[in-house]
Amino acid sequence: MKEENLIAACKEGNRKAQYDLYQKYYSTLMAICRRYHNNDSDAALVLNAAFLKIFKNINYFKNNSKGSFIAWAKRITVNTLIDDYRSKRKDKEIFEYKSNDDLPEYNFQRNSLNHHLELTEEMLLNMIQRLPEGHQVVFNLFAIEGYSHKEISELCDFSEGTSKWHLSAARKKLSSMINEVRTSKMSKI
């Protein structure tokens, strides 16, 4: 069944169409959830919450030139992940920087990586999942989803300085992890 027919049937409350739409986009949306959660069980819980929101609000989706259904579903999934993060955060974190000059720069320089170092998508995902939760959320929102620090601060209910700190710390930790892999691989050569 075509996507637009599935969506139309879902708008009518057709359970079979909902199941088919769930199956069609499960792996795409689950991949997003895995970037934010260290285990499949937690990722699946958030994914199911996202699908509930998708089906509850599907009547608001209009397939037009502004975007596709999958883009709309991804946005709902990311927002559900952010809601999940905010609900689990016990204490608000406050890290303020006086200016951008106070932020340490950690750049990933692809050219500096030895050509013998091959990082797979799975290795990078594992590294991101090993980050502390706040670092992981901000890194994913900024580096992968494309949100600005202002947007992240509004979504996660903390300051822009906190968002910048989390990103800087995440980059530093990821750089360290990549260097560990590089050192390990280089010692085997």
Side-chain angles (χ1 to χ4, degrees), residues 54-117:
I54 289 166
F55 293 133
K56 181 179 177 184
N57 295 295
I58 200 159
N59 288 324
Y60 296 108
F61 173 74
K62 291 185 171 84
N63 195 5
N64 56 31
S65 62
K66 289 186 178 181
S68 67
F69 176 78
I70 191 59
W72 183 76
K74 285 179 180 180
R75 181 74 172 192
I76 289 175
T77 303
V78 169
N79 287 339
T80 304
L81 286 156
I82 293 166
D83 291 344
D84 180 63
Y85 168 72
R86 278 192 288 201
S87 72
K88 289 181 180 175
R89 213 173 71 212
K90 292 178 176 70
D91 299 315
K92 289 190 177 189
E93 303 169 47
I94 300 174
F95 300 96
E96 291 290 339
Y97 287 96
K98 304 271 188 258
S99 71
N100 284 343
D101 297 335
D102 295 338
L103 290 171
E105 247 340 286
Y106 297 102
N107 294 320
F108 293 106
Q109 297 176 357
R110 293 179 191 178
N111 295 338
S112 70
L113 293 177
N114 187 288
H115 69 279
H116 295 289
L117 176 62

Side-chain angles (χ1 to χ4, degrees), residues 3 6-7 10 14-30 33-34 40-41 43-55 58 69-70 73 77:
E3 180 182 277
L6 276 175
I7 293 168
C10 287
N14 182 311
R15 297 283 187 198
K16 171 77 169 98
Q18 289 175 343
Y19 175 79
D20 291 344
L21 197 68
Y22 180 90
Q23 292 292 23
K24 181 173 182 150
Y25 293 113
Y26 173 86
S27 60
T28 302
L29 298 178
M30 183 62 159
C33 294
R34 283 186 179 126
D40 285 349
S41 174
L45 285 172
V46 175
L47 177 64
N48 286 332
F51 267 110
L52 284 173
K53 288 179 184 180
I54 289 166
F55 293 133
I58 200 159
F69 176 78
I70 191 59
T77 303

